[in-house]
Structure formats: structure tokens, C-alpha cells
Amino acid sequence: MFFDSHAHFDDERFNRDRETLLQNMQQKGVRYILNAASDIDTSQKCVELTEKYDFIYASVGVHPHNVAGITENDMQLLMHLSKHSKVVAIGEIGLDYYYDHSPREEQKYWFRRQIQLAKQLNLPVIIHNRDAHADSMEIIQAEDISTIGGVIHCFSGSWEMAKKLIAMGIYISIAGPITFKNAVKSVEVVKNLPMDKILIETDSPYLTPVPYRGKRNDSSYIKYVAEKIAEIKGLTVKEVAQKTMENAKRLFKIAD
Ligand code: NI
């Protein structure tokens, strides 16, 4: 059974078949899903999803795309939502200099602010980092998240960067792009990473792995990510499933 450590089933692309899809997840081998929030509205929706499905857990937080114009009042709302027993992380938070949907200064400010919130709440963080490696590293180091832990979702950096992150107690999450032909750098990262530092994810509906690349992603395609990791590490898919399950449950403090 798999733990999909990052998905967005609140996304409107699931509106027509969300229920059927989620009802069948267990049969497709998916034991747990962490549904990650991207703003205040989706944070609320994530919490609602956890109430509907016992195998779904949630994070609450504001994605760098959406931080422009948010206020301390929004931090209060996140704090309130985070009190729900199935909210197990703050995220996704971070920096995205590829799209630059929000001004970089605001991205940096709210990344730091939400890490501080996570520390106050004693919750791990789910970090989004795209084309902002240097600034992300600087903030992660300066804020010191070793007491709460965290994960970099859909990791796209080098092994050098991954090495520094795991030394700070941060997990590396591998998504669909590991199955792409040009994933040379990520294959190198997986090859070097200790198995107790890896999480797997789909980021559904995005980042669909081969052989469904280009179509809508869903958590059942997590097996293609696990198969690729098993191939790189010389392990069975079952071993990859077990290890990444243990890791995700440890990070998010899920007991059962
Ligand atoms: Ni995401």
C-alpha cells in the first residue's frame, strides 16, 4: 500500500468524478493521501476532505503563487484550521521564481512567516521550491526547522542540495517527473538518497508520470513513481512502498 504524500483533490479538475475516484483508492493500493492546500480557501476544502475520507490527511497554508496581499488575519485563520486533528502539516509554502505570480519579496516574507507559524504549532512544513534554490536554502537554514521537520515536495535540485537538506532533517519527495526520459539529475539524487529520507507523491492533478504523461494525474499513478525508484535502487516496489509509508507516517505523526 502507498502513501501519496502530496495531492490536490480539491482541484476543480476532479469535480466530475472526485467521489468515485476517492472511493476506489484503497482498492488501487493507496492507503493514505496527504491533500495539500494552496491558499485559505483550499485549506478549508482540505479539512473538509479529511472529514469525508478517513484515509485523507491535510496540510493548511498559502502557496507562493497566492501570497500577494495576504495578511496576519490569514495567519489567524490558518492557525484556527490547523487545530483540526487531521491537519498534520503547514503547506505548501515556499518560493516559486519560475512563474513569479507573487512579488519575490512577499514570497520570502510569507515563507518565513509560515515557517514560524509551523514552529509555533509544532507541525512539519511542506515546501514548494521552483527555480529558487539559493533563496530557499537561505531561508530554511536561517529559520532552522530541525525541531519540526519537513519535506521538499517534487524535489528538482541536485544531490549536493539534497545532501544539505537531509542533514537538516528534511525529507525529499519524489514525483512523476522521475519517470521522464530527461530526469538525469533526479535519478542521481534518488540513487544517492538513503531510503529513510524519501517520500513519494503524485501532486495530482499535476505532474503525471509516464505512461500517462499529459493526462490528468491521480493518486493511483503513484505506483509508477515507486516502480521507477525501485528500479534505480534495486529494490522491490513493495519495499519502496513500505519504506516511504514509514517515512511519511513518521514525518506527519500518523499512528495507525
Ligand atoms: Ni502541489
Side-chain angles (χ1 to χ4, degrees):
M1 298 289 272
F2 296 109
F3 194 133
D4 182 356
S5 71
H6 194 111
H8 302 279
F9 280 97
D10 50 280
D11 193 280
E12 59 181 14
R13 290 172 71 187
F14 291 113
N15 282 356
R16 67 191 156 81
D17 60 352
R18 182 178 297 107
E19 250 177 68
T20 332
L21 208 54
L22 289 174
Q23 272 162 8
N24 293 320
M25 271 312 158
Q26 308 279 297
Q27 283 152 266
K28 291 176 176 169
V30 179
R31 175 70 185 90
Y32 295 105
I33 296 170
L34 186 297
N35 205 76
S38 349
D39 56 21
I40 300 297
D41 182 46
T42 56
S43 293
Q44 177 67 48
K45 285 186 176 140
C46 286
V47 172
E48 285 164 17
L49 271 176
T50 71
E51 288 174 347
K52 232 171 155 184
Y53 301 94
D54 62 351
F55 62 95
I56 298 187
Y57 287 78
S59 68
V60 298
V62 184
H63 189 289
H65 285 348
N66 304 316
V67 291
I70 65 168
T71 64
E72 273 305 313
N73 189 40
D74 295 308
M75 295 302 105
Q76 292 302 316
L77 291 171
L78 290 182
M79 195 184 303
H80 174 72
L81 287 168
S82 75
K83 302 295 182 199
H84 192 282
S85 64
K86 290 181 81 186
V87 172
V88 293
I90 296 296
E92 50 187 300
I93 59 174
L95 304 175
D96 192 313
Y97 294 173
Y98 179 78
Y99 286 108
D100 277 328
H101 284 334
S102 304
R104 292 184 180 182
E105 284 313 308
E106 282 199 64
Q107 291 191 41
K108 286 193 265 186
Y109 176 84
W110 290 108
F111 183 25
R112 295 189 81 134
R113 179 66 187 89
Q114 290 183 95
I115 291 175
Q116 289 155 10
L117 179 71
K119 285 166 85 169
Q120 189 184 341
L121 297 165
N122 196 28
L123 289 173
V125 285
I126 298 172
I127 299 170
H128 172 102
N129 161 51
R130 188 153 183 204
D131 287 2
H133 295 337
D135 283 357
S136 291
M137 284 306 280
E138 196 184 308
I139 290 175
I140 291 166
Q141 270 159 345
E143 291 295 331
D144 182 15
I145 62 172
S146 57
T147 52
I148 49 171
V151 55
I152 308 269
H153 112 87
C154 188
F155 185 72
S156 58
S158 63
W159 165 237
E160 281 309 304
M161 183 180 179
K163 207 159 42 176
K164 287 183 196 142
L165 290 163
I166 61 174
M168 291 189 278
I170 296 169
Y171 291 84
I172 305 293
S173 181
I174 305 296
I178 191 71
T179 65
F180 300 171
K181 271 208 177 74
N182 62 357
V184 185
K185 193 167 66 171
S186 299
V187 167
E188 190 62 25
V189 168
V190 170
K191 211 176 267 174
N192 286 294
L193 268 180
M195 267 319 285
D196 62 355
K197 293 297 177 198
I198 305 180
L199 300 192
I200 53 174
E201 65 169 286
T202 58
D203 201 22
S204 300
Y206 312 104
L207 304 179
T208 314
V210 172
Y212 293 104
R213 190 176 181 180
K215 304 222 165 62
R216 184 188 71 179
N217 202 1
D218 77 67
S219 293
S220 65
Y221 296 162
I222 191 87
K223 66 175 181 196
Y224 298 107
V225 176
E227 278 171 10
K228 186 68 193 180
I229 294 173
E231 182 195 313
I232 297 167
K233 301 293 257 181
L235 298 170
T236 65
V237 174
K238 201 175 169 190
E239 286 168 325
V240 172
Q242 268 167 359
K243 270 294 181 190
T244 53
M245 168 79 71
E246 283 168 24
N247 298 342
K249 287 174 81 172
R250 191 185 314 120
L251 173 65
F252 298 127
K253 301 186 196 83
I254 295 170
D256 58 339

